[in-house]
Amino acid sequence: MVPQGLGNRRSLRRHIAPVESAVATQPKSAVSTSTHVNEVLELLRKLMEYRSSDVRHRLEKVGRAASMLHTDVLLLIYHFARFSSENILEIGPYVGGSTIAAAFGARESGMRKKIISIEAGGKLKHFRLSSRNIIKDLKKNLLRFGVAEDVTLINGRSFDAAIISEVRQAMGSAEVGLFIFDADNNVRRDLDCYGNLLLMGADS
């Protein structure tokens, strides 16, 4: 899943690997479209379920304190982190809302998952959620919501050679099952840097 651009920063995109079907009478394109529609409908059903659950109230608190994202987007990040396989790589957490949602989902998956989050830092003036020191506020929010020990935070620009090396060292031989991108408009640049870490069929 790639949360990218709501306002000038956020949106949500999901690439789904094609799933083969046993229905041989339909053209492959029709089967693929049908599978995609069914997965989208199932995701919407799950989102409606989350809206009436305890996790929604927890993520509303996260959103008020640490995110520009809509609660529904945080719920989807939670969902993908909970049900995707392998580990999580995030680029551009800002002050941590998406990171916290991912950490909640990973923790409640019942599986051990590494979460590596890359943030360049600096400051940002925003009408609702400004920060004079992004790294400081990010660390504070991870502590506040009890997920600081679940996240490996790397301070730097995602495309710098030293940061790429640090990410690869932290990830080890593990693969990335969920890729969250919310830095700028150049997602292709970071896919070129980290694409070979992604598990085949990973959520992005």
Side-chain angles (χ1 to χ4, degrees):
M1 159 204 82
V2 180
Q4 173 195 10
L6 191 75
N8 65 340
R9 278 179 65 92
R10 318 284 181 193
S11 95
L12 191 69
R13 231 172 20 171
R14 187 182 181 209
H15 301 289
I16 302 172
V19 178
E20 297 297 331
S21 172
V23 182
T25 56
Q26 297 185 51
K28 187 171 182 179
S29 59
V31 174
S32 179
T33 299
S34 175
T35 300
H36 179 74
V37 168
N38 288 338
E39 289 184 342
V40 169
L41 290 173
E42 174 59 22
L43 187 59
L44 290 173
R45 185 198 66 76
K46 195 66 181 177
L47 180 59
M48 294 298 290
E49 181 181 312
Y50 286 139
R51 283 176 177 171
S52 59
S53 71
D54 171 69
V55 69
R56 183 195 124 198
H57 299 295
R58 287 190 286 144
L59 290 178
E60 282 178 338
K61 291 178 182 178
V62 171
R64 287 193 293 269
S67 184
M68 300 178 194
L69 295 170
H70 190 280
T71 303
D72 282 352
V73 179
L74 294 176
L75 286 168
L76 290 172
I77 293 171
Y78 165 88
H79 173 79
F80 292 136
R82 184 178 176 190
F83 290 102
S84 67
S85 59
E86 300 299 332
N87 302 295
I88 299 164
L89 175 62
E90 177 182 38
I91 299 174
Y94 187 43
V95 293
S98 55
T99 319
I100 296 161
F104 285 174
R107 184 180 290 175
E108 292 165 25
S109 72
M111 299 170 58
R112 290 183 62 84
K113 298 178 185 180
K114 293 180 181 179
I115 303 172
I116 297 174
S117 189
I118 309 168
E119 174 55 57
K123 59 183 179 180
L124 178 69
K125 189 172 183 179
H126 185 266
F127 73 95
R128 190 182 72 78
L129 197 64
S130 294
S131 176
R132 295 181 180 179
N133 186 325
I134 292 171
I135 294 294
K136 180 180 178 181
D137 289 338
L138 172 55
K139 289 179 177 179
K140 179 181 69 177
N141 287 325
L142 296 180
L143 280 169
R144 174 180 176 181
F145 288 96
V147 299
E149 294 187 1
D150 299 342
V151 178
T152 298
L153 178 60
I154 296 177
N155 182 196
R157 296 185 300 178
S158 60
F159 48 89
D160 285 351
I163 298 301
I164 295 170
S165 177
E166 189 174 351
V167 169
R168 292 180 182 279
Q169 185 175 358
M171 193 65 68
S173 61
E175 292 181 296
V176 174
L178 176 62
F179 177 57
I180 303 170
F181 180 88
D182 197 8
D184 53 26
N185 292 323
N186 200 347
V187 65
R188 172 52 56 189
R189 175 199 64 214
D190 287 303
L191 282 173
D192 288 342
C193 293
Y194 301 103
N196 62 352
L197 294 177
L198 303 186
L199 181 70
M200 182 66 69
D203 291 313
S204 60

